[in-house]
Amino acid sequence: MSGPMWVHTRRELRGRRRRRAHSCWDHLILAPLWPKYGVNLGTLLRTCDAVGACLAVPRRPWTTEALAKGNTLRRESCVHWVNDPVGWLRAQREAESAVLGVELVDGATRLADLRPARRRTVIVLGHESDGIPVEATTLVDEAVEIPMIGTGLSLNVAVAGSLVAYKLAGLS
């Protein structure tokens, strides 16, 4: 790139974006079904807006407030409420959705090798400390691993979910 970089103004960016939030396209669903921190839900909600996905979250006393606080877009977002995470995942499998788990396991698909979703796909995100519960791992069709070379054991759940969502949406 030669010459100075052109930075778009807010007005230019607004002109390139949707005027309204997308409705439920029922194609990609980020599912942090065992959240530990509310702030991660808000971050994932914003990622969902960016890639045209929906968010599936469990009904917990603090979830609604976390989503409202974290939704910096201040627009209605596509949220699927889940009462029983394992039962909900089972229903997704029975409806023939692809179910991907973001987890560190043998035989996992590396993020770089992940292809864009060609059918309805649920991206399961586990608990920040414990991962996806054992009873839910049998409902996952494929595990996705985000390789790391640092000393940390894993990425923040919102960062990991965002990376996988962008890849499955075909935007990276």
Side-chain angles (χ1 to χ4, degrees), residues 126-166:
H127 186 276
E128 281 90 338
S129 301
D130 306 324
I132 299 171
V134 175
E135 64 272 16
T137 58
T138 59
L139 301 170
V140 172
D141 298 313
E142 180 180 4
V144 178
E145 175 185 4
I146 301 170
M148 296 176 47
I149 59 172
T151 58
L153 298 177
S154 65
L155 291 173
N156 168 284
V157 72
V159 173
S162 295
L163 288 170
V164 174
Y166 267 86

Side-chain angles (χ1 to χ4, degrees), residues 8-155:
H8 295 285
T9 66
R10 285 186 176 272
R11 185 176 187 172
E12 290 171 326
L13 290 173
R14 266 191 231 106
R16 293 176 174 206
R17 301 296 190 264
R18 293 180 170 279
R19 301 224 184 269
R20 293 179 291 134
H22 69 84
S23 60
C24 182
W25 293 342
D26 207 30
H27 179 63
L28 283 179
I29 300 174
L30 271 100
L33 299 175
W34 299 273
K36 184 175 181 181
Y37 304 112
V39 67
N40 288 327
L41 298 181
T43 301
L44 286 168
L45 193 60
R46 184 145 185 175
T47 296
C48 286
D49 176 75
V51 302
C54 296
L55 188 68
V57 292
R59 287 193 185 275
R60 300 248 171 89
W62 55 271
T63 309
T64 303
E65 183 181 333
L67 290 174
K69 192 176 195 181
N71 188 2
T72 58
L73 299 170
R74 300 293 179 222
R75 293 187 176 158
E76 191 71 29
S77 297
C78 181
V79 177
H80 298 254
W81 293 97
V82 176
N83 291 320
D84 170 20
V86 174
W88 184 81
L89 281 177
R90 191 174 294 111
Q92 302 313 300
R93 288 277 310 275
E94 290 169 2
E96 298 185 7
S97 296
V99 179
L100 302 181
V102 182
E103 193 64 87
L104 301 171
V105 297
D106 290 337
T109 302
R110 289 172 38 94
L111 179 65
D113 298 330
L114 195 60
R115 302 273 182 234
R118 297 286 179 233
R119 64 180 179 143
R120 186 176 192 273
T121 303
V122 175
I123 305 162
V124 181
L125 303 164
H127 186 276
E128 281 90 338
S129 301
D130 306 324
I132 299 171
V134 175
E135 64 272 16
T137 58
T138 59
L139 301 170
V140 172
D141 298 313
E142 180 180 4
V144 178
E145 175 185 4
I146 301 170
M148 296 176 47
I149 59 172
T151 58
L153 298 177
S154 65
L155 291 173

